[in-house]
Amino acid sequence: MNDRLARVSLMRLAEPDDTVMGRLVAAYGPEAAVAQIRAGRLDPEFVRWFADVHRNGSGGARGREEPMERLDRLLASWSARLEGTDPGRDLAEGERTGARLITPGSPEWPTQLDDLEELRPRALWLWGEANLRLSCVRSVAVVGSRAATPYGAHIAAEFGAELGSRGYGVVSGGAYGIDGAAHRGALAGGTPTVAVLACGVDVTYPSAHHDLFAAVREQGVLVSECPMGVRPTRPRFLIRNRLIAALSRGTVIVEAAVRSGAINTAGHAVALNRHLAAVPGPVTSDTSAGCHRLIRQGAATCVTTPEEMIELVGTIGDDLAPELRGPVLPRDTLSAELRRVLEAVPARTGAGPATIAVTAGVDLETVLSCLGGLAAAGYVERVRRGWRLRPGGP
Amino acid sequence: MNDRLARVSLMRLAEPDDTVMGRLVAAYGPEAAVAQIRAGRLDPEFVRWFADVHRNGSGGARGREEPMERLDRLLASWSARLEGTDPGRDLAEGERTGARLITPGSPEWPTQLDDLEELRPRALWLWGEANLRLSCVRSVAVVGSRAATPYGAHIAAEFGAELGSRGYGVVSGGAYGIDGAAHRGALAGGTPTVAVLACGVDVTYPSAHHDLFAAVREQGVLVSECPMGVRPTRPRFLIRNRLIAALSRGTVIVEAAVRSGAINTAGHAVALNRHLAAVPGPVTSDTSAGCHRLIRQGAATCVTTPEEMIELVGTIGDDLAPELRGPVLPRDTLSAELRRVLEAVPARTGAGPATIAVTAGVDLETVLSCLGGLAAAGYVERVRRGWRLRPGGP
């Protein structure tokens, strides 16, 4: 059994968040790991390491269970699953579908996944035209609530399209709501988009996304660490989220309730030292409450436009968002003195320069010179009783 | 001429943001300041101070004008205005209206205005039943755009009512939009509300706020540093904003365009070391763009509820806002292991414990003990072919 087949086996043996398995594979490589499981006997050094970690209490307490009992149980469950696996059949089935398997070391493997350490996926199934590594090297994850509001869906689509048009790949989870809108935005902009699924790449979940996934395959790529045919489960969605965070330079949460999968993705982004941003929304909307909480906690940067997101994840100084400015009114270009005189000029009935001087709090000479300038610029006009504002302005 | 009459004169002599006048009054008191202006000759020491400040360039450059020329001009304009003032008439007119004048040292004077230093108002006209000092000692300024959206008006009213019901005074500017909604919210909650005007307290501006101002006078108080009858001008709105910021413990901007008076108030709050908060809104709304910019700059805290505002301005530890939590689903109370087994139980057709064990990645013994617990809690049920999810859940 070679590295590739061993990894295909491992995809079935343990859930992706099984860090003990992750450690075993990291220490011995996939082939030796499978061999140890098949033999029903883990390397004594590994067993010692496991016991040490748990004696020191840093491996996550698990109630009253003894470390060795736990390791035995894990090994038993890996073995039980190994019996039913046929990696050759899995590989053939994926290839028949049109998908391809990539493993660490494949040219298409995104090396940023190495940041996941023991949670690095054993392998990935890809289905679609785009090169995953190239699509993700400069990418942003746009994620959020399945129960998106029209506001959130609009923003997600805008972010997807605009990030794409500025050369950023758009990574999301292929779900209803924000995810789907982000993918659609990217597709509309002609950009590759990466949908990381919690099920096999051949499983259309949600089924209403049949056409969307077909479009993603045409222009982007579907990604999964699950074998073909695997259905999504609730824990798999959460485990999957770490891939979305790891693949991209930064994650922007468009809409999310206080408790939602997107908040879980946010946690992964922070843990992975990726940029995290959240889009604000109406405080009356529950689906923006999670975004606001992340902003309030200082965990996420408040981002209101795709440009601001690019500024966050882009190269410092190279990708600055344009500063938002209000319209420059002609009046604003006046000096403080001119403005003060202008404010003292009545709108309808004229006033003499002396009256204007007292109202404005400046001396007569200043008023006379200012009135000349203001008249030339069209702000004021001379009438029988003095000066007044010119109707219609300059 | 006593201190009180002198201050009434000074209200007409110089604009409230005339810091040279502020310095003169601070150094010599209002009576001596008026006397020097009347004599047309400022104290030589003051003149030296002015020259020093401007020689060192820290007094604000004013083009090519020499410092002494500028001081002469200022003195001339003060003198010109002094000629037309009649403080006794001003006082009588205010009292005839039903207003009262307070000065630094009056029992009703809010001492937090001292933080304004040279920009401290010379005196204030008050009109209304509430005691200004008591209304402001624990207060929040709720301000924002005149061109408020229904969203912003709703939030402002909610903040006004809720802050009031929790014992916080509500300070605002009496303008259309956010200000008016905040006042109305406070009034509805039966709380004193303070409207700081940019015109005389006897001038109803905007005129459509006739009834609102009457209600504020009944239950709160109108405040102005302008003499009776003075109409608002654009600069006066901006100058007035510092009083709103200074009177309250913190300012919350509910809606504001990037360029707006509320942003000016925000600047005063920051300069005065008061708390500054902004309410987020849809990123598609121009009237929330100023709020988002303040949040992005780190100048304002993102605040989504009145409770969060109180947490910001309140006593540390005493006024914590309740943490937002999602609903606790029964499923969430399960251990990770129970959840994993539950996820592996099929919905319709039953599955045997061995199949469930392989799917869940745990051993058979664990599955059997988990299934017992899950059945007892009503999550799963036994059917002919094994175990399945109980329709309708627990």
Side-chain angles (χ1 to χ4, degrees), chain A residues 100-124:
Chain A
R100 60 192 181 274
L101 185 90
I102 62 167
T103 58
S106 299
E108 201 176 345
W109 185 262
T111 50
Q112 60 267 42
L113 292 178
D114 298 350
D115 295 347
L116 290 166
E117 300 180 349
E118 280 142 5
L119 287 171
R120 187 176 75 169
R122 264 59 102 175
L124 290 174

PDB file of all heavy atoms in Angstrom, chain A residues 100-124:
ATOM      1  N   ARG A 100     -10.419  14.399  -8.488  1.00  0.00           N
ATOM      2  CA  ARG A 100      -9.005  14.019  -8.349  1.00  0.00           C
ATOM      3  C   ARG A 100      -8.611  14.127  -6.886  1.00  0.00           C
ATOM      4  O   ARG A 100      -9.136  14.962  -6.157  1.00  0.00           O
ATOM      5  CB  ARG A 100      -8.128  14.906  -9.232  1.00  0.00           C
ATOM      6  CG  ARG A 100      -8.202  16.392  -8.902  1.00  0.00           C
ATOM      7  CD  ARG A 100      -7.536  17.227 -10.004  1.00  0.00           C
ATOM      8  NE  ARG A 100      -7.582  18.659  -9.696  1.00  0.00           N
ATOM      9  CZ  ARG A 100      -8.604  19.465  -9.984  1.00  0.00           C
ATOM     10  NH1 ARG A 100      -9.696  18.986 -10.565  1.00  0.00           N
ATOM     11  NH2 ARG A 100      -8.548  20.749  -9.670  1.00  0.00           N
ATOM     12  N   LEU A 101      -7.690  13.264  -6.497  1.00  0.00           N
ATOM     13  CA  LEU A 101      -7.227  13.271  -5.112  1.00  0.00           C
ATOM     14  C   LEU A 101      -5.891  13.989  -5.039  1.00  0.00           C
ATOM     15  O   LEU A 101      -4.991  13.724  -5.839  1.00  0.00           O
ATOM     16  CB  LEU A 101      -7.060  11.831  -4.614  1.00  0.00           C
ATOM     17  CG  LEU A 101      -6.699  11.729  -3.130  1.00  0.00           C
ATOM     18  CD1 LEU A 101      -7.980  11.641  -2.296  1.00  0.00           C
ATOM     19  CD2 LEU A 101      -5.806  10.525  -2.852  1.00  0.00           C
ATOM     20  N   ILE A 102      -5.781  14.931  -4.103  1.00  0.00           N
ATOM     21  CA  ILE A 102      -4.458  15.529  -3.884  1.00  0.00           C
ATOM     22  C   ILE A 102      -4.038  15.251  -2.441  1.00  0.00           C
ATOM     23  O   ILE A 102      -4.875  15.107  -1.549  1.00  0.00           O
ATOM     24  CB  ILE A 102      -4.418  17.058  -4.164  1.00  0.00           C
ATOM     25  CG1 ILE A 102      -5.360  17.808  -3.228  1.00  0.00           C
ATOM     26  CG2 ILE A 102      -4.700  17.357  -5.620  1.00  0.00           C
ATOM     27  CD1 ILE A 102      -5.151  19.313  -3.231  1.00  0.00           C
ATOM     28  N   THR A 103      -2.739  15.112  -2.257  1.00  0.00           N
ATOM     29  CA  THR A 103      -2.181  14.815  -0.938  1.00  0.00           C
ATOM     30  C   THR A 103      -1.039  15.799  -0.677  1.00  0.00           C
ATOM     31  O   THR A 103      -0.570  16.462  -1.608  1.00  0.00           O
ATOM     32  CB  THR A 103      -1.629  13.375  -0.915  1.00  0.00           C
ATOM     33  OG1 THR A 103      -0.636  13.254  -1.951  1.00  0.00           O
ATOM     34  CG2 THR A 103      -2.730  12.349  -1.131  1.00  0.00           C
ATOM     35  N   PRO A 104      -0.628  15.925   0.588  1.00  0.00           N
ATOM     36  CA  PRO A 104       0.498  16.819   0.863  1.00  0.00           C
ATOM     37  C   PRO A 104       1.669  16.434  -0.034  1.00  0.00           C
ATOM     38  O   PRO A 104       2.019  15.253  -0.123  1.00  0.00           O
ATOM     39  CB  PRO A 104       0.809  16.528   2.335  1.00  0.00           C
ATOM     40  CG  PRO A 104      -0.471  16.035   2.917  1.00  0.00           C
ATOM     41  CD  PRO A 104      -1.139  15.270   1.819  1.00  0.00           C
ATOM     42  N   GLY A 105       2.220  17.403  -0.731  1.00  0.00           N
ATOM     43  CA  GLY A 105       3.292  17.112  -1.672  1.00  0.00           C
ATOM     44  C   GLY A 105       2.820  17.158  -3.116  1.00  0.00           C
ATOM     45  O   GLY A 105       3.612  17.375  -4.035  1.00  0.00           O
ATOM     46  N   SER A 106       1.497  16.993  -3.362  1.00  0.00           N
ATOM     47  CA  SER A 106       0.991  17.158  -4.732  1.00  0.00           C
ATOM     48  C   SER A 106       1.231  18.600  -5.170  1.00  0.00           C
ATOM     49  O   SER A 106       1.184  19.512  -4.334  1.00  0.00           O
ATOM     50  CB  SER A 106      -0.524  16.916  -4.781  1.00  0.00           C
ATOM     51  OG  SER A 106      -0.859  15.612  -4.381  1.00  0.00           O
ATOM     52  N   PRO A 107       1.479  18.800  -6.487  1.00  0.00           N
ATOM     53  CA  PRO A 107       1.702  20.186  -6.944  1.00  0.00           C
ATOM     54  C   PRO A 107       0.509  21.095  -6.638  1.00  0.00           C
ATOM     55  O   PRO A 107       0.673  22.285  -6.432  1.00  0.00           O
ATOM     56  CB  PRO A 107       1.887  20.036  -8.453  1.00  0.00           C
ATOM     57  CG  PRO A 107       2.205  18.596  -8.676  1.00  0.00           C
ATOM     58  CD  PRO A 107       1.577  17.822  -7.565  1.00  0.00           C
ATOM     59  N   GLU A 108      -0.680  20.512  -6.589  1.00  0.00           N
ATOM     60  CA  GLU A 108      -1.872  21.340  -6.371  1.00  0.00           C
ATOM     61  C   GLU A 108      -2.196  21.510  -4.879  1.00  0.00           C
ATOM     62  O   GLU A 108      -3.170  22.185  -4.520  1.00  0.00           O
ATOM     63  CB  GLU A 108      -3.059  20.707  -7.123  1.00  0.00           C
ATOM     64  CG  GLU A 108      -4.186  21.688  -7.410  1.00  0.00           C
ATOM     65  CD  GLU A 108      -5.318  21.075  -8.238  1.00  0.00           C
ATOM     66  OE1 GLU A 108      -5.112  19.985  -8.822  1.00  0.00           O
ATOM     67  OE2 GLU A 108      -6.390  21.699  -8.293  1.00  0.00           O
ATOM     68  N   TRP A 109      -1.408  20.910  -3.995  1.00  0.00           N
ATOM     69  CA  TRP A 109      -1.688  20.987  -2.539  1.00  0.00           C
ATOM     70  C   TRP A 109      -1.396  22.395  -2.014  1.00  0.00           C
ATOM     71  O   TRP A 109      -0.286  22.903  -2.173  1.00  0.00           O
ATOM     72  CB  TRP A 109      -0.819  19.976  -1.799  1.00  0.00           C
ATOM     73  CG  TRP A 109      -1.116  19.892  -0.323  1.00  0.00           C
ATOM     74  CD1 TRP A 109      -0.432  20.511   0.678  1.00  0.00           C
ATOM     75  CD2 TRP A 109      -2.155  19.144   0.294  1.00  0.00           C
ATOM     76  NE1 TRP A 109      -0.984  20.210   1.893  1.00  0.00           N
ATOM     77  CE2 TRP A 109      -2.056  19.361   1.686  1.00  0.00           C
ATOM     78  CE3 TRP A 109      -3.181  18.313  -0.176  1.00  0.00           C
ATOM     79  CZ2 TRP A 109      -2.929  18.779   2.601  1.00  0.00           C
ATOM     80  CZ3 TRP A 109      -4.044  17.740   0.728  1.00  0.00           C
ATOM     81  CH2 TRP A 109      -3.930  17.966   2.108  1.00  0.00           C
ATOM     82  N   PRO A 110      -2.374  23.026  -1.375  1.00  0.00           N
ATOM     83  CA  PRO A 110      -2.124  24.383  -0.834  1.00  0.00           C
ATOM     84  C   PRO A 110      -1.329  24.256   0.475  1.00  0.00           C
ATOM     85  O   PRO A 110      -1.838  23.715   1.455  1.00  0.00           O
ATOM     86  CB  PRO A 110      -3.527  24.937  -0.568  1.00  0.00           C
ATOM     87  CG  PRO A 110      -4.485  23.910  -1.117  1.00  0.00           C
ATOM     88  CD  PRO A 110      -3.767  22.613  -1.158  1.00  0.00           C
ATOM     89  N   THR A 111      -0.105  24.727   0.439  1.00  0.00           N
ATOM     90  CA  THR A 111       0.782  24.496   1.587  1.00  0.00           C
ATOM     91  C   THR A 111       0.330  25.248   2.834  1.00  0.00           C
ATOM     92  O   THR A 111       0.752  24.915   3.932  1.00  0.00           O
ATOM     93  CB  THR A 111       2.221  24.906   1.239  1.00  0.00           C
ATOM     94  OG1 THR A 111       2.189  26.218   0.680  1.00  0.00           O
ATOM     95  CG2 THR A 111       2.834  23.943   0.247  1.00  0.00           C
ATOM     96  N   GLN A 112      -0.550  26.245   2.675  1.00  0.00           N
ATOM     97  CA  GLN A 112      -1.029  26.942   3.864  1.00  0.00           C
ATOM     98  C   GLN A 112      -1.816  26.004   4.781  1.00  0.00           C
ATOM     99  O   GLN A 112      -2.024  26.314   5.953  1.00  0.00           O
ATOM    100  CB  GLN A 112      -1.856  28.189   3.504  1.00  0.00           C
ATOM    101  CG  GLN A 112      -3.108  27.964   2.678  1.00  0.00           C
ATOM    102  CD  GLN A 112      -2.854  28.111   1.186  1.00  0.00           C
ATOM    103  OE1 GLN A 112      -1.840  27.632   0.675  1.00  0.00           O
ATOM    104  NE2 GLN A 112      -3.769  28.751   0.482  1.00  0.00           N
ATOM    105  N   LEU A 113      -2.245  24.848   4.253  1.00  0.00           N
ATOM    106  CA  LEU A 113      -2.953  23.881   5.090  1.00  0.00           C
ATOM    107  C   LEU A 113      -2.032  23.276   6.146  1.00  0.00           C
ATOM    108  O   LEU A 113      -2.500  22.728   7.145  1.00  0.00           O
ATOM    109  CB  LEU A 113      -3.555  22.762   4.227  1.00  0.00           C
ATOM    110  CG  LEU A 113      -4.706  23.185   3.308  1.00  0.00           C
ATOM    111  CD1 LEU A 113      -5.171  22.001   2.474  1.00  0.00           C
ATOM    112  CD2 LEU A 113      -5.874  23.742   4.132  1.00  0.00           C
ATOM    113  N   ASP A 114      -0.710  23.372   5.912  1.00  0.00           N
ATOM    114  CA  ASP A 114       0.236  22.855   6.905  1.00  0.00           C
ATOM    115  C   ASP A 114       0.099  23.576   8.234  1.00  0.00           C
ATOM    116  O   ASP A 114       0.463  23.027   9.276  1.00  0.00           O
ATOM    117  CB  ASP A 114       1.685  22.996   6.400  1.00  0.00           C
ATOM    118  CG  ASP A 114       1.903  22.184   5.128  1.00  0.00           C
ATOM    119  OD1 ASP A 114       1.002  21.379   4.774  1.00  0.00           O
ATOM    120  OD2 ASP A 114       2.948  22.356   4.487  1.00  0.00           O
ATOM    121  N   ASP A 115      -0.437  24.809   8.203  1.00  0.00           N
ATOM    122  CA  ASP A 115      -0.644  25.549   9.456  1.00  0.00           C
ATOM    123  C   ASP A 115      -1.596  24.806  10.396  1.00  0.00           C
ATOM    124  O   ASP A 115      -1.649  25.108  11.590  1.00  0.00           O
ATOM    125  CB  ASP A 115      -1.227  26.947   9.174  1.00  0.00           C
ATOM    126  CG  ASP A 115      -0.246  27.824   8.401  1.00  0.00           C
ATOM    127  OD1 ASP A 115       0.936  27.443   8.312  1.00  0.00           O
ATOM    128  OD2 ASP A 115      -0.665  28.886   7.899  1.00  0.00           O
ATOM    129  N   LEU A 116      -2.361  23.879   9.850  1.00  0.00           N
ATOM    130  CA  LEU A 116      -3.325  23.153  10.677  1.00  0.00           C
ATOM    131  C   LEU A 116      -2.658  22.090  11.550  1.00  0.00           C
ATOM    132  O   LEU A 116      -3.303  21.497  12.417  1.00  0.00           O
ATOM    133  CB  LEU A 116      -4.396  22.494   9.792  1.00  0.00           C
ATOM    134  CG  LEU A 116      -5.359  23.466   9.116  1.00  0.00           C
ATOM    135  CD1 LEU A 116      -6.145  22.775   8.008  1.00  0.00           C
ATOM    136  CD2 LEU A 116      -6.326  24.037  10.162  1.00  0.00           C
ATOM    137  N   GLU A 117      -1.370  21.810  11.269  1.00  0.00           N
ATOM    138  CA  GLU A 117      -0.606  20.826  12.048  1.00  0.00           C
ATOM    139  C   GLU A 117      -1.352  19.494  12.148  1.00  0.00           C
ATOM    140  O   GLU A 117      -1.645  18.883  11.121  1.00  0.00           O
ATOM    141  CB  GLU A 117      -0.253  21.420  13.419  1.00  0.00           C
ATOM    142  CG  GLU A 117       0.590  22.676  13.242  1.00  0.00           C
ATOM    143  CD  GLU A 117       0.990  23.328  14.555  1.00  0.00           C
ATOM    144  OE1 GLU A 117       0.468  22.953  15.604  1.00  0.00           O
ATOM    145  OE2 GLU A 117       1.871  24.226  14.510  1.00  0.00           O
ATOM    146  N   GLU A 118      -1.675  19.056  13.380  1.00  0.00           N
ATOM    147  CA  GLU A 118      -2.294  17.729  13.504  1.00  0.00           C
ATOM    148  C   GLU A 118      -3.705  17.687  12.916  1.00  0.00           C
ATOM    149  O   GLU A 118      -4.286  16.622  12.792  1.00  0.00           O
ATOM    150  CB  GLU A 118      -2.347  17.316  14.979  1.00  0.00           C
ATOM    151  CG  GLU A 118      -1.021  16.794  15.454  1.00  0.00           C
ATOM    152  CD  GLU A 118      -0.733  17.231  16.872  1.00  0.00           C
ATOM    153  OE1 GLU A 118      -1.603  17.854  17.491  1.00  0.00           O
ATOM    154  OE2 GLU A 118       0.386  16.966  17.350  1.00  0.00           O
ATOM    155  N   LEU A 119      -4.246  18.844  12.594  1.00  0.00           N
ATOM    156  CA  LEU A 119      -5.581  18.868  11.981  1.00  0.00           C
ATOM    157  C   LEU A 119      -5.495  19.039  10.466  1.00  0.00           C
ATOM    158  O   LEU A 119      -6.493  19.275   9.798  1.00  0.00           O
ATOM    159  CB  LEU A 119      -6.412  19.998  12.595  1.00  0.00           C
ATOM    160  CG  LEU A 119      -6.899  19.731  14.021  1.00  0.00           C
ATOM    161  CD1 LEU A 119      -7.514  20.986  14.618  1.00  0.00           C
ATOM    162  CD2 LEU A 119      -7.915  18.598  14.033  1.00  0.00           C
ATOM    163  N   ARG A 120      -4.258  18.934   9.920  1.00  0.00           N
ATOM    164  CA  ARG A 120      -4.131  19.002   8.466  1.00  0.00           C
ATOM    165  C   ARG A 120      -4.880  17.816   7.859  1.00  0.00           C
ATOM    166  O   ARG A 120      -4.785  16.703   8.357  1.00  0.00           O
ATOM    167  CB  ARG A 120      -2.652  18.924   8.082  1.00  0.00           C
ATOM    168  CG  ARG A 120      -2.422  19.145   6.609  1.00  0.00           C
ATOM    169  CD  ARG A 120      -0.949  19.154   6.285  1.00  0.00           C
ATOM    170  NE  ARG A 120      -0.392  17.795   6.316  1.00  0.00           N
ATOM    171  CZ  ARG A 120       0.816  17.487   5.860  1.00  0.00           C
ATOM    172  NH1 ARG A 120       1.592  18.426   5.362  1.00  0.00           N
ATOM    173  NH2 ARG A 120       1.253  16.252   5.927  1.00  0.00           N
ATOM    174  N   PRO A 121      -5.677  18.074   6.798  1.00  0.00           N
ATOM    175  CA  PRO A 121      -6.421  16.944   6.223  1.00  0.00           C
ATOM    176  C   PRO A 121      -5.461  15.879   5.685  1.00  0.00           C
ATOM    177  O   PRO A 121      -4.372  16.202   5.228  1.00  0.00           O
ATOM    178  CB  PRO A 121      -7.250  17.581   5.103  1.00  0.00           C
ATOM    179  CG  PRO A 121      -6.624  18.901   4.827  1.00  0.00           C
ATOM    180  CD  PRO A 121      -5.938  19.332   6.092  1.00  0.00           C
ATOM    181  N   ARG A 122      -5.909  14.626   5.766  1.00  0.00           N
ATOM    182  CA  ARG A 122      -5.075  13.520   5.290  1.00  0.00           C
ATOM    183  C   ARG A 122      -4.894  13.607   3.766  1.00  0.00           C
ATOM    184  O   ARG A 122      -3.858  13.262   3.226  1.00  0.00           O
ATOM    185  CB  ARG A 122      -5.764  12.208   5.638  1.00  0.00           C
ATOM    186  CG  ARG A 122      -5.311  11.545   6.906  1.00  0.00           C
ATOM    187  CD  ARG A 122      -5.453  12.323   8.180  1.00  0.00           C
ATOM    188  NE  ARG A 122      -6.596  11.916   8.991  1.00  0.00           N
ATOM    189  CZ  ARG A 122      -6.870  12.398  10.200  1.00  0.00           C
ATOM    190  NH1 ARG A 122      -6.095  13.340  10.739  1.00  0.00           N
ATOM    191  NH2 ARG A 122      -7.907  11.987  10.861  1.00  0.00           N
ATOM    192  N   ALA A 123      -5.935  14.048   3.098  1.00  0.00           N
ATOM    193  CA  ALA A 123      -5.925  14.196   1.633  1.00  0.00           C
ATOM    194  C   ALA A 123      -7.159  15.017   1.280  1.00  0.00           C
ATOM    195  O   ALA A 123      -8.003  15.280   2.151  1.00  0.00           O
ATOM    196  CB  ALA A 123      -5.981  12.838   0.946  1.00  0.00           C
ATOM    197  N   LEU A 124      -7.273  15.465   0.063  1.00  0.00           N
ATOM    198  CA  LEU A 124      -8.460  16.220  -0.359  1.00  0.00           C
ATOM    199  C   LEU A 124      -8.950  15.693  -1.702  1.00  0.00           C
ATOM    200  O   LEU A 124      -8.143  15.445  -2.604  1.00  0.00           O
ATOM    201  CB  LEU A 124      -8.131  17.710  -0.495  1.00  0.00           C
ATOM    202  CG  LEU A 124      -7.855  18.515   0.774  1.00  0.00           C
ATOM    203  CD1 LEU A 124      -7.405  19.932   0.415  1.00  0.00           C
ATOM    204  CD2 LEU A 124      -9.083  18.562   1.684  1.00  0.00           C
TER     205      LEU A 124
END
